[in-house]
Amino acid sequence: MNYRAVIFDLDGTLLDSLEDLADSMNSVLARQSFPVHAVEKYRYFVGDGIAELVRRVLPANQRDAAMVAENIRWMSAEYEQRWDKKTKPYPGIAELLDALTGAGLNLAVLSNKPDAFTKIMVPALLPGWQFEPILGARPGVPVKPDPQAALEIAAQLALSPTEILYLGDTATDMLTANAAGMLAVGVAWGFRTVEELQQNGAQQIIHKPTELLQLLRK
């Protein structure tokens, strides 16, 4: 094998978390008598961090800095109560992780979800596998698609970026992988379309998790 590690995006790649995210944010909006959004619309609201999520869902005339900051706090508190209600790994993820672990590959997670939530959710919802490191959005570190955090993971693993596969479901993930010099693998089961992945630099597209194993054998 030419690859020694896999970095996974979290939401839309490892975990189907859309309903919990939508329910949490809609609860915050309803509390303020703002319009709520259909769950499917959250496929395009999430992916770029909690601040961007809040800006996207608020009414256009309610997006000043103070309102955004307040809604970030409320969303964080609401999501803390809901993140495990409906969220679960996608079908086939367990089999993929078993195979990668058996092959001796390092597994890591890089998310634009706040770091605290990322570090709670991965071991709670994917307890059978070892991920190291697990990184979410942190103060002072630019969120994806900036490659800084992806390169930080490579350095922690003492690997060249060319030895790492990067799996994700959005344009943000594909841009991150390419900027970091990693193989950008788009997953077709996530929140966004295959067309979006291809237009933003996906070098491979897989339609079910275990298809990744074929790339490792090339």
Side-chain angles (χ1 to χ4, degrees), residues 59-71:
N61 63 348
Q62 299 287 343
R63 294 175 183 170
D64 60 90
M67 180 63 76
V68 169
E70 187 171 59
N71 275 264

Side-chain angles (χ1 to χ4, degrees), residues 47-52 110-114 136-149 172 176:
D48 295 302
I50 188 170
E52 195 59 35
L110 177 58
S111 177
N112 275 346
K113 184 188 291 290
R138 297 163 290 159
V141 180
V143 296
K144 301 181 292 184
D146 190 287
Q148 180 176 326
T172 296
T176 303

Side-chain angles (χ1 to χ4, degrees), residues 181-195:
M182 300 172 182
L183 185 70
V185 181
V187 306
W189 60 81
F191 295 166
R192 304 286 180 84
T193 65
V194 169
E195 182 180 36

Side-chain angles (χ1 to χ4, degrees), residues 7-30:
I7 297 176
F8 293 92
D9 172 54
L10 186 59
D11 301 283
T13 301
L14 287 170
L15 299 178
D16 184 357
S17 56
L18 195 65
E19 286 191 74
D20 282 334
L21 288 163
D23 290 349
S24 299
M25 193 71 246
N26 278 340
S27 177
V28 171
L29 293 171

